Amino acid sequence: MAAEMALVKPISKFSSITKPKFGDARAPTCSLRPRVFTIKMSATSEQATTAKKPRKKVNKTAIKETLLTPRFYTTDFDEMETLFNTEINKNLNQDEFVALLQEFKTDYNQTHFVRNKEFKEAADKMEGPLRQIFVEFLERSCTAEFSGFLLYKELGRRLKKTNPVVAEIFSLMSRDEARHAGFLNKGLSDFNLALDLGFLTKARKYTFFKPKFIFYATYLSEKIGYWRYITIYRHLKANPEYQCYPIFKYFENWCQDENRHGDFFSALMKAQPQFLNDWKAKLWSRFFCLSVYVTMYLNDCQRTAFYEGIGLNTKEFDMHVIIETNRTTARIFPAVLDVENPEFKRRLDRMVEINEKLVAVGETQDIGLVKNLKRIPLIAALASELLATYLIPPVESGSVDIAEFETQLVY
Ligand SMILES: [Fe+2]
Ligand SMILES: [Fe+2]
């Protein structure tokens, strides 16, 4: 999964980057912090990164986890087995899955993720806040990719007997996500750090979603990942002066992996028309669109320094990604949000303001009880905005009769 391309927390202005070409230079602020616990991260020594078996435990540091951080998912694997049993589900188009499997076996990006000395050189040039911003970007992105790896790997394992073709596709997608996570973790080694993925697997809390919701959420996260990567890639290609770390040069092929993953979920949903063809499906589709778009918007608005550092206006970038993702999603979901209605963006911006106030409450010296009391009206206001956004008249979309819908590259 691209899961999402979760980026970084703001620190302050960059030290070595010129002023963004466009964009509001507002200092980053917002964050939802209902629960905070820590993830162990270990630093590697310079020497260790070049050794065959890098030593990982030198210094430990921690990153805070919030509602907006990338999550790990688990599901009802027994129900998944039933859904993909060809004896039970006659809607399964095995020919389509065989064709998709061939596509995944081709492994277009087998030799794509090869690093060069530019990485270390670029990292060494980064100092202070900029360096910290990139470390957090790599951490969060690595966690998001690794989350996809774990889920797909388990699905590949559990569906092996029931539907070997679908199972193999999941395994090959987990290969892709492992590659993405590994590449990002290598990036961390440029900064003399490494995420302890083994520890993360055990220590992280898993969010349970029923299969139906896994399909909606994962489809969206793959497609939104595609649009984020390709938009950043195209922007930096047009504005190379903002290319401050070479990882972005890999996004063009990388995003095609995410696109293929999304197309596979599209095929999976077509094989489960009960998830697409009734009023409940419409309500859930809109709910997941809202969750994914709002999470990204709030997340990114607390990391404007990162986007400004690569010459993007955070809100413009996000709205572009949301609109494109929504248009893609409308090809399969039975209903989507009307994100092109100006009211949608107005409400998103209002949520950012409320979120900023929530952060400000968290940063006061008040005792916990006082902070919580101050948070109540803000959380109520946020919930009210979410509901109002959800209730904006939706766009009817998708098609139950989608046999002609072919897997294809979007751009
Ligand atoms: Fe993916
Ligand atoms: Fe990925």
Side-chain angles (χ1 to χ4, degrees), residues 56-344:
K56 288 190 175 175
K57 292 172 187 173
V58 178
N59 291 318
K60 288 175 192 170
T61 175
I63 54 175
K64 281 179 181 170
E65 178 152 330
T66 75
L67 262 193
L68 297 178
T69 50
R71 309 185 83 72
F72 283 10
Y73 295 98
T74 187
T75 190
D76 182 341
F77 292 103
D78 293 334
E79 188 188 336
M80 279 284 187
E81 284 185 75
T82 309
L83 292 174
F84 292 106
N85 186 325
T86 47
E87 296 296 312
I88 298 170
N89 184 355
K90 300 297 176 193
N91 291 310
L92 287 164
N93 182 348
Q94 284 301 108
D95 290 344
E96 184 178 13
F97 290 129
V98 169
L100 279 166
L101 177 58
Q102 281 314 314
E103 180 97 341
F104 279 103
K105 278 184 175 170
T106 306
D107 198 3
Y108 298 100
N109 285 338
Q110 191 176 21
T111 56
H112 178 62
F113 294 95
V114 178
R115 283 159 50 85
N116 56 40
K117 62 184 173 63
E118 279 181 46
F119 282 79
K120 185 72 182 147
E121 288 167 4
D124 287 345
K125 279 184 201 154
M126 288 187 209
E127 290 171 351
L130 175 66
R131 192 175 174 86
Q132 185 58 28
I133 277 168
F134 266 84
V135 165
E136 289 185 77
F137 154 65
L138 293 168
E139 281 172 6
R140 290 179 61 94
S141 301
C142 182
T143 307
E145 297 282 8
F146 191 65
S147 155
F149 160 73
L150 290 175
L151 178 67
Y152 298 160
K153 183 171 169 243
E154 189 60 12
L155 280 163
R157 197 178 71 78
R158 291 293 297 263
L159 295 173
K160 223 172 203 165
K161 281 191 186 139
T162 318
N163 194 326
V165 175
V166 167
E168 195 174 355
I169 295 177
F170 273 120
S171 298
L172 293 176
M173 292 206 312
S174 78
R175 166 205 67 193
D176 294 343
E177 304 300 18
R179 205 176 264 161
H180 301 165
F183 198 64
L184 287 157
N185 215 5
K186 280 266 172 55
L188 279 167
S189 75
D190 296 327
F191 298 86
N192 307 324
L193 293 162
L195 264 182
D196 189 338
L197 297 174
F199 178 85
L200 209 57
T201 310
K202 292 192 195 95
R204 198 73 186 251
K205 283 191 177 169
Y206 286 73
T207 303
F208 177 86
F209 273 170
K210 284 173 70 65
K212 172 180 176 171
F213 303 142
I214 286 282
F215 292 155
Y216 297 143
T218 315
Y219 172 83
L220 277 168
S221 72
E222 294 289 3
K223 288 298 181 185
I224 211 165
Y226 165 80
W227 281 110
R228 290 175 64 89
Y229 285 143
I230 196 64
T231 304
I232 291 174
Y233 175 80
R234 287 174 181 161
H235 162 72
L236 290 177
K237 199 173 178 203
N239 302 281
E241 67 273 24
Y242 291 109
Q243 186 75 258
C244 50
Y245 187 64
I247 204 159
F248 303 115
K249 293 179 186 169
Y250 292 73
F251 277 13
E252 188 182 28
N253 289 35
W254 187 329
C255 77
Q256 293 305 341
D257 282 343
E258 313 305 2
N259 200 33
R260 273 187 287 274
H261 300 170
D263 287 339
F264 172 59
F265 276 99
S266 189
L268 291 184
M269 284 189 281
K270 283 194 300 175
Q272 315 292 340
Q274 72 278 17
F275 295 164
L276 295 174
N277 63 6
D278 63 9
W279 62 271
K280 280 187 284 184
K282 288 185 179 181
L283 293 180
W284 282 117
S285 293
R286 286 162 56 200
F287 172 81
F288 275 92
C289 285
L290 181 68
S291 308
V292 169
Y293 302 158
V294 169
T295 302
M296 181 181 81
Y297 205 79
L298 295 185
N299 246 326
D300 290 351
C301 282
Q302 58 187 114
R303 295 172 177 85
T304 50
F306 178 83
Y307 297 96
E308 289 167 7
I310 57 172
L312 284 166
N313 175 309
T314 310
K315 289 186 174 180
E316 282 176 15
F317 165 71
D318 270 30
M319 281 313 296
H320 170 77
V321 168
I322 288 172
I323 288 169
E324 294 295 351
T325 304
N326 206 56
R327 287 178 182 168
T328 306
T329 304
R331 291 154 64 188
I332 183 80
F333 279 24
V336 291
L337 301 176
D338 187 4
V339 299
E340 294 175 62
N341 179 337
E343 189 189 343
F344 177 79

